[in-house]
C-alpha cells in the first residue's frame, strides 16, 4: 500500500522533465522590472521554471496537504488536489510557463478576533494555494536573508517566542519606553502598484511578476458575489505574509536609521527607547503618568501602504 501511494505521488507530476520551452509572455506583464531599485536581478529571469521543478512542486503539494483548510470558490478540497494534479499538471505547468495561468477569486469569510470584532480572511482555491506555495518557496529563500533582523513574523527559523525574548533583552538594556504600533487595516489597504514596484526591484521574470499581480487582483467572492480587489493582500493566501514582509521592510529600515530597538511581527511593531524618545512623531508620548514605563498604542497607516 505504501509503495502504491509513493508511485501515485510521483505520478502527480507526470510530464516533468519533458523540456517544454516557455512561450513568450503575453502583453500586460509588468514592464518596470529593470527600472526600479538597485538590487541585482541576476538569476531571477527563470523563476517560473524554478518554481515548477519536481522537488519544489512536491514540497508545495506536501505543504498544502499539511495545512489542510477549507475549499475555495470552486469547491475542490485538499484531498482532491493530488488526483487533479495527476490529470492536469502538464497543462497547468504549460500555463505557468506561458504566463496564461489565471488565479481564481478568493472566498472571503470573517473570523472572530481575540480582542473583539472580526477579521476578514481570504480562502484561495487549493490549486491556487499549491501554486502560491511553489512560488513562495522560491522567493522566500532569496528574500528572507535580506530582511531586517528585527522582523520575526512568518519567516523560517523565527517565531513569536524569539520576538518576546528580543523584547526582554531590550528591557534589560534600559529601553523601557515602548510604543506599540498597529498598522490599521494593513492587509486590507496595501497599494498593489507600490507593492509590485518593490517586487520588480528584486525579480526580472516578467511571467512571475504577472502571476503575483494576478493573485493580488484575482477578485473576491463574498455572499455569492464576485467583486474586484483593487488593493490589499488577502490574509489566508500563502504568499501574503512574504509580500507583506517585503513591503514593511521599508518601515524596518526607517526605524533602524532612527536608532530604535524594536521587534516587528507582521503588522504589529513595538519600538523601544530610553527615556528620551528621539522619534519626533511620538514626542507627545512623554506626556503621561510618571511611571518607569509608559505604553501607548498607535494606529496608523504609513505612506508605503498607499
Amino acid at each position: 500500500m505504501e509503495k502504491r501511494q509513493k508511485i501515485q505521488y510521483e505520478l502527480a507530476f507526470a510530464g516533468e522533465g519533458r523540456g517544454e520551452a516557455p512561450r513568450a509572455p503575453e502583453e500586460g506583464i509588468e514592464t518596470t522590472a529593470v527600472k526600479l531599485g538597485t538590487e541585482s536581478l541576476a538569476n531571477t529571469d527563470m523563476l517560473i521554471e524554478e518554481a515548477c521543478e519536481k522537488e519544489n512542486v512536491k514540497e508545495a503539494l506536501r505543504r498544502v496537504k499539511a495545512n489542510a483548510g477549507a475549499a475555495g470558490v470552486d469547491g475542490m478540497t485538499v484531498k482532491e488536489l493530488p488526483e487533479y494534479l495527476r490529470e492536469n499538471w502538464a497543462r497547468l505547468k504549460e500555463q505557468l510557463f506561458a504566463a496564461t495561468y489565471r488565479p481564481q477569486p478568493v472566498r472571503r469569510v470573517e473570523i472572530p478576533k481575540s480582542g473583539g470584532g472580526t477579521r476578514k480572511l481570504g480562502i484561495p482555491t487549493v490549486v491556487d494555494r499549491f501554486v502560491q506555495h511553489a512560488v513562495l518557496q522560491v522567493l522566500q529563500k532569496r528574500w528572507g536573508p535580506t530582511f531586517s533582523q528585527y522582523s520575526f513574523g512568518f519567516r523560517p527559523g523565527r517565531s513569536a517566542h524569539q520576538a518576546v525574548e528580543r523584547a526582554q533583552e531590550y528591557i534589560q538594556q534600559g529601553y523601557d519606553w515602548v510604543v506599540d504600533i498597529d498598522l490599521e487595516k494593513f492587509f486590507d489597504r496595501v497599494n498593489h502598484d507600490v507593492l509590485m514596484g518593490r517586487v520588480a526591484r528584486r525579480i526580472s521574470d516578467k511571467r512571475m511578476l504577472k502571476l503575483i499581480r494576478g493573485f493580488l487582483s484575482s477578485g473576491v467572492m463574498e455572499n455569492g458575489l464576485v467583486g474586484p480587489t483593487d488593493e490589499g493582500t488577502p490574509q489566508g493566501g500563502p504568499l501574503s505574509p512574504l509580500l507583506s514582509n517585503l513591503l514593511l521592510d521599508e518601515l524596518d529600515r526607517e526605524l533602524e536609521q532612527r536608532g530604535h530597538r524594536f521587534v516587528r511581527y507582521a503588522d504589529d511593531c513595538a519600538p523601544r527607547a530610553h527615556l528620551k524618545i528621539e522619534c519626533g512623531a511620538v514626542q507627545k508620548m512623554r506626556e503621561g503618568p510618571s511611571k518607569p514605563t509608559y505604553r501607548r498604542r498607535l494606529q496608523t497607516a504609513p505612506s508605503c501602504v498607499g
Side-chain angles (χ1 to χ4, degrees), residues 168-204:
Q168 291 174 337
E169 292 176 5
Y170 295 151
I171 294 174
Q172 294 172 359
Q173 295 169 11
Y175 292 88
D176 49 5
W177 281 63
V178 182
V179 184
D180 186 4
I181 300 176
D182 177 66
L183 302 180
E184 186 177 12
K185 298 185 182 299
F186 170 75
F187 288 95
D188 298 330
R189 298 180 59 185
V190 168
N191 184 296
H192 290 175
D193 292 332
V194 172
L195 174 57
M196 289 305 302
R198 302 293 188 275
V199 175
R201 291 177 181 177
R202 293 173 176 255
I203 62 178
S204 59

Side-chain angles (χ1 to χ4, degrees), residues 18-180:
R18 293 181 180 178
E20 299 94 329
R23 298 175 183 172
E26 293 183 334
E27 294 182 359
I29 297 175
E30 305 287 337
T31 59
T32 56
V34 298
K35 299 178 182 179
L36 299 172
T38 57
E39 294 189 37
S40 172
L41 298 179
N43 301 320
T44 63
D45 57 350
M46 300 287 284
L47 293 180
I48 289 294
E49 283 77 7
E50 189 174 339
C52 291
E53 287 180 355
K54 185 174 182 178
E55 293 304 317
N56 191 64
V57 293
K58 285 172 63 177
E59 176 61 16
L61 176 60
R62 188 195 69 78
R63 294 278 297 276
V64 173
K65 293 170 67 176
N67 292 337
V73 296
D74 61 356
M76 184 186 300
T77 65
V78 172
K79 290 184 178 180
E80 296 173 310
L81 180 60
E83 178 64 27
Y84 175 86
L85 292 176
R86 274 193 289 272
E87 298 177 359
N88 296 279
W89 170 238
R91 178 179 60 83
L92 175 59
K93 184 170 68 170
E94 184 64 20
Q95 289 176 348
L96 292 170
F97 281 177
T100 58
Y101 180 81
R102 294 182 178 274
Q104 297 190 61
V106 301
R107 182 167 66 88
R108 176 170 288 171
V109 297
E110 292 189 356
I111 58 175
K113 298 172 63 175
S114 57
T118 60
R119 182 192 307 275
K120 292 182 179 180
L121 186 70
I123 304 177
T125 66
V126 293
V127 176
D128 283 340
R129 298 208 294 267
F130 163 75
V131 175
Q132 285 194 41
H133 269 299
V135 171
L136 171 65
Q137 291 158 190
V138 169
L139 299 182
Q140 180 74 67
K141 65 183 180 181
R142 284 179 163 81
W143 297 358
T146 71
F147 291 154
S148 169
Q149 62 170 315
Y150 300 106
S151 171
F152 290 88
F154 309 110
R155 296 181 61 187
R158 289 174 170 253
S159 67
H161 291 291
Q162 292 175 333
V164 171
E165 291 175 358
R166 180 70 64 86
Q168 291 174 337
E169 292 176 5
Y170 295 151
I171 294 174
Q172 294 172 359
Q173 295 169 11
Y175 292 88
D176 49 5
W177 281 63
V178 182
V179 184
D180 186 4

